[in-house]
Amino acid sequence: MQTNTPSRKTVTLTRRGRLALVVSGAVLAGTAVAVPLLTLREDGPVRPHALVIPEGWRAAQVYAAVDRALAVPSGSTRQTAAQGGLALPEVAEGNPEGYLFPATYRIDDRSTPRSLLSAMIGAAAKKFTAAPPGAGPQRTTMNLHQAVTIASIVQAESATKADMGKVARVIFNRLEQGMPLQMDSTLTYGLGRTTVRTTAEDTRIDSPYNSYQRMGLPPTPIDSPGEDALRAVYNPTPGDWLYFVTVKPGDTRFTADYTQHQRNVDEFNARRQSLARQRTGQQQGQPEQGTHSPQQGTHSPQPAPK
């Protein structure tokens, strides 16, 4: 099995059983926001823009957003990244994934794909190398790349900011117990998909990002984590949890007991089926009072561990 783990004696990630991809932070329907800002120069007014990169975006999404914001041909920013020469940390091995820091970036008529990528990487270097307040012992047991990789998983798997410390703890607990990660966020990244659901067949693909089949961390981050996710990695919430599932928005349940986890999953499935029936009734012109569809970003359980 492939491993890429922090320099602890045993590090493998959780056997969550039924985790799902949750895009955390600002979800902007796959598009960046360019906010007009008015400035003045001696030769007249200029209208630069602020490009918003949300937490949890993958590098491919950032590249497309920069292309749109600068009105350059599609693929230009990706090509710039592939050319290298960016000030990435050595451990990234030339791959910007995880190091395009989510923030707001000013663009104007002097901006280029390279200048924006450099600004994002520079912001990540400043944020990621500073020890967050209250950093625990995890800071000394893994290198920066490992920390950013775990933070990217925390970012993807956490339904809320409040859940991040617990998700990080689940990760470390599984690592310490020699359990495979089995998280769908890494699997869907390897599949090149953003869907929140995976199948049993998906879990059998041959990919270094298939954490159902391979031990340890994936070889790279899977998105751009924010400060909160990295802080959770350096100071995870104390607990013995090994599993979690978001039964409904605002109700993520963590447990160390697989039987209890299965009960939580059953409750989620029952709720999902009920909502599906309600949606079907509405589509047939028979709406029911007080019904609603599941909110975007909730966990949907996946195939149980083999």
Side-chain angles (χ1 to χ4, degrees):
M1 290 187 178
Q2 174 170 323
T3 60
N4 176 33
T5 60
S7 57
R8 301 170 62 122
K9 185 175 180 181
T10 58
V11 196
T12 43
L13 288 175
T14 130
R15 167 182 181 99
R16 174 175 126 202
R18 297 183 184 266
L19 289 179
L21 173 64
V22 173
V23 179
S24 303
V27 179
L28 300 177
T31 60
V33 173
V35 182
L37 300 174
L38 178 62
T39 61
L40 294 175
R41 292 194 315 201
E42 291 183 358
D43 57 350
V46 171
R47 290 187 178 274
H49 291 76
L51 178 64
V52 179
I53 302 299
E55 296 173 348
W57 264 17
R58 297 176 181 176
Q61 292 172 286
V62 176
Y63 299 155
V66 172
D67 286 348
R68 289 192 297 269
L70 298 182
V72 296
S74 177
S76 297
T77 305
R78 181 185 293 275
Q79 183 177 11
T80 297
Q83 290 171 351
L86 299 169
L88 287 162
E90 185 176 352
V91 290
E93 298 183 349
N95 185 352
E97 191 71 84
Y99 298 95
L100 303 175
F101 191 73
T104 300
Y105 297 92
R106 176 172 168 160
I107 60 175
D108 58 27
D109 56 359
R110 295 178 293 274
S111 297
T112 65
R114 182 169 294 276
S115 71
L116 284 176
L117 292 178
S118 294
M120 296 175 195
I121 292 168
K126 291 179 181 178
K127 299 292 186 180
F128 292 166
T129 56
Q138 279 78 12
R139 181 165 178 81
T140 62
T141 61
M142 54 190 161
N143 64 35
L144 174 65
H145 192 63
Q146 292 161 341
V148 174
T149 298
I150 296 174
S152 73
I153 299 169
V154 170
Q155 186 75 61
E157 294 284 351
S158 300
T160 66
K161 175 182 173 180
D163 288 340
M164 286 183 173
K166 290 183 177 181
V167 172
R169 177 57 68 187
V170 169
I171 289 172
F172 284 111
N173 286 346
R174 291 190 184 181
L175 288 171
E176 290 167 355
Q177 294 194 25
M179 301 167 75
L181 172 57
Q182 294 192 324
M183 291 206 178
D184 298 325
S185 55
T186 68
L187 181 60
T188 55
Y189 182 87
L191 289 165
R193 299 197 316 230
T194 56
T195 177
V196 298
R197 293 193 177 95
T198 57
T199 66
E201 183 178 357
D202 291 335
T203 66
R204 293 189 286 268
I205 67 165
D206 183 14
S207 167
Y209 295 92
N210 184 355
S211 57
Y212 280 85
Q213 299 290 338
R214 304 201 179 202
M215 299 294 288
L217 299 177
T220 72
I222 60 171
D223 59 46
S224 295
E227 288 181 273
D228 291 327
L230 192 70
R231 187 177 295 111
V233 170
Y234 286 140
N235 191 24
T237 306
D240 63 351
W241 311 293
L242 292 172
Y243 313 98
F244 65 92
V245 62
T246 297
V247 175
K248 58 184 177 182
D251 183 11
T252 300
R253 301 180 189 177
F254 294 80
T255 181
D257 182 352
Y258 184 69
T259 300
Q260 178 59 53
H261 177 65
Q262 285 297 109
R263 287 195 288 265
N264 294 337
V265 168
D266 290 343
E267 185 174 340
F268 171 90
N269 284 328
R271 181 176 184 275
R272 181 176 62 174
Q273 291 166 6
S274 174
L275 291 169
R277 288 193 295 269
Q278 292 170 5
R279 288 197 302 272
T280 300
Q282 291 172 343
Q283 291 169 358
Q284 293 175 347
Q286 301 172 359
E288 297 182 25
Q289 291 294 329
T291 61
H292 64 280
S293 299
Q295 294 184 17
Q296 200 172 28
T298 58
H299 286 298
S300 56
Q302 305 304 316
K306 306 301 184 289

